[in-house]
Amino acid sequence: MKKGMTIIFFTLLAALLYYGSVTYEASCQALAIWFEKLVPSLFAAMVVIRILDGQGLLAALSRRLFGFTENLFHISPDAFSLVFASFFLGSPAGQILIDDYVRDGRLSQAEGRRLACCVTVSTPSFILITCGSVLLQSFQYGLMIWLAEFFAVMLLLFFTRSTPVALQLDPRGSVPSLFENLKDAVVQAGVSLYFIGAYLLLTLVLLNLATMKLPSAWRLPIQCVTEFSLGTNNLALLPLAVPLKALLMTLVLGFASFSVHLQVLSLTPHLHLTYLRYLGYRLMQTGLAGGVFLFLMMLQRLRG
C-alpha cells in the first residue's frame, strides 16, 4: 500500500513539474475564485456569525424564532441556530462551526454528523446574486434555486429525526468580552478561509491535469462535480433555455462538488465523518433539490 502511494505521489509530482503551465494557470484560476468570490462573500459573514454565536445572541434569536423545530425536526431551538448560521456561512464554513461545537463538548459526534451531513449549502449571495442575477440574468430563477436547496435541507433534517440534537451548556460559564470575541472570530475566519483556498487550489490543479487531454464535451460534467463555482459558470455559457440551466445548477449545488467534500472531511476532525456516508447525503440532496425545483417550475406554469 505504502509503495503504491509513493509511486502515485512521485508520478503526480512529475506531472506538476512537466505540465508547469497547466499547474500555473489552474493555480491562478483557483486564487482568483478564492480572492474575488470566496473572501469577499465569506469573511465578513464568518466574523459576524461567530461574534453573534460567541455573545450568545444567535442562540437567543433562535429560541425566539425556531420554537417549532423541537417537534418538527427533533432539534432544540438552541441547536437550530447552527442550521441558521450554516445557511449564511455556506460549506465548509458551516461544518467548521459545527465541528467546533463537537470539540467543545456541546454536541455529540452523532449530533454533529447529522447537522454536518444535512446542512451542506452554498451562501445566499452566491445563489441569488452570482447564479441568479449574474449568470442566469434572472433573480427569480436564483430565488427558485435557493428555495430548492433550502427545502432539500429541511427534508433531510426531517428524515433524520431519529437522531435528536440538543446543545449542552457552554463549559466556559461566562460570555467573553466583545473585543476578545472579535479577535477570536477574525482569527478563526482567517484560518478557515486559508484552508478553503488551499484545498480549492489543489483540487483545480488536479482537475486540470486530469482533464487537459479530454474532449471539451467531457470536461464540463467533470468540472461540475469537482468544483461547483467553475461548473455553474460554465453551465451558464451553454446554449440552453434558462429553466434548464437553472435546473442543472440546482443539481450541481445540491451535490456541492468534490472540492467541498474534501474540505468538509479535512476541516472537521472531531466529527469523524466517513466519506461514503457524506456522499450518500449529497446524492440524496441532489435528488431532493432537483425534485423541489421541478415542483416550483410546475407551480410557476400553473400560475402563469
Side-chain angles (χ1 to χ4, degrees):
M1 179 67 177
K2 186 178 292 185
K3 182 178 179 180
M5 293 296 293
T6 302
I7 294 173
I8 289 173
F9 279 106
F10 269 105
T11 303
L12 176 60
L13 178 61
L16 291 171
L17 296 174
Y18 185 77
Y19 297 105
S21 60
V22 175
T23 302
Y24 176 79
E25 290 174 6
S27 299
C28 290
Q29 185 181 41
L31 288 173
I33 293 173
W34 180 78
F35 187 73
E36 295 175 6
K37 295 181 179 179
L38 296 181
V39 173
S41 65
L42 282 181
F43 182 75
M46 291 172 73
V47 171
V48 171
I49 288 292
R50 286 191 174 272
I51 290 174
L52 290 172
D53 179 58
Q55 296 297 304
L57 300 176
L58 199 60
L61 178 64
S62 188
R63 284 193 293 270
R64 289 181 175 272
L65 296 179
F66 305 122
F68 62 90
T69 61
E70 186 80 65
N71 292 326
L72 185 60
F73 302 119
H74 293 177
I75 300 175
S76 69
D78 283 2
F80 201 78
S81 66
L82 296 176
V83 177
F84 179 71
S86 295
F87 269 100
F88 285 94
L89 292 173
S91 297
Q95 279 80 2
I96 293 171
L97 180 63
I98 293 167
D99 185 71
D100 289 346
Y101 270 74
V102 175
R103 178 200 62 199
D104 296 339
R106 301 194 64 191
L107 287 175
S108 69
Q109 283 187 353
E111 292 171 330
R113 282 195 291 265
R114 179 192 173 193
L115 295 181
C117 287
C118 291
V119 193
T120 295
V121 292
S122 297
T123 61
S125 61
F126 180 80
I127 297 176
L128 296 173
I129 299 174
T130 304
C131 292
S133 299
V134 177
L135 297 179
L136 298 174
Q137 298 184 343
S138 170
F139 179 81
Q140 179 183 3
Y141 278 107
L143 180 60
M144 290 174 64
I145 294 172
W146 186 84
L147 288 173
E149 302 299 336
F150 173 81
F151 283 112
V153 169
M154 294 300 110
L155 288 169
L156 285 176
L157 291 174
F158 181 79
F159 295 149
T160 56
R161 291 181 301 162
S162 59
T163 304
V165 180
L167 285 185
Q168 303 301 314
L169 293 176
D170 191 339
R172 294 174 300 181
S174 61
V175 176
S177 70
L178 178 60
F179 292 106
E180 181 183 357
N181 195 183
L182 174 61
K183 180 196 73 174
D184 291 340
V186 169
V187 170
Q188 291 166 345
V191 170
S192 297
L193 276 173
Y194 170 80
F195 280 107
I196 289 170
Y199 282 111
L200 175 64
L201 191 151
L202 288 172
T203 302
L204 285 189
V205 168
L206 294 176
L207 171 66
N208 281 26
L209 286 174
T211 61
M212 61 182 177
K213 301 295 186 180
L214 294 178
S216 57
W218 291 20
R219 285 201 295 267
L220 178 59
I222 296 175
Q223 289 171 344
C224 288
V225 298
T226 304
E227 212 297 300
F228 71 88
S229 60
L230 181 63
T232 52
N233 185 71
N234 288 336
L235 283 173
L237 301 176
L238 294 177
L240 301 173
V242 173
L244 181 54
K245 287 194 283 190
L247 173 61
L248 293 174
M249 288 184 184
T250 301
L251 299 176
V252 168
L253 294 175
F255 185 70
S257 81
F258 291 125
S259 174
V260 171
H261 301 183
L262 175 65
Q263 293 167 38
V264 169
L265 268 71
S266 299
L267 299 176
T268 55
H270 304 94
L271 293 178
H272 297 292
L273 282 171
T274 60
Y275 184 60
L276 285 179
R277 175 191 177 98
Y278 188 74
L279 178 61
Y281 274 87
R282 300 288 63 75
L283 294 174
M284 285 189 288
Q285 184 172 339
T286 302
L288 289 171
V292 173
F293 184 86
L294 291 174
F295 178 73
L296 294 174
M297 284 291 299
M298 183 182 68
L299 292 179
Q300 183 188 45
R301 291 188 178 184
L302 289 175
R303 289 181 55 190

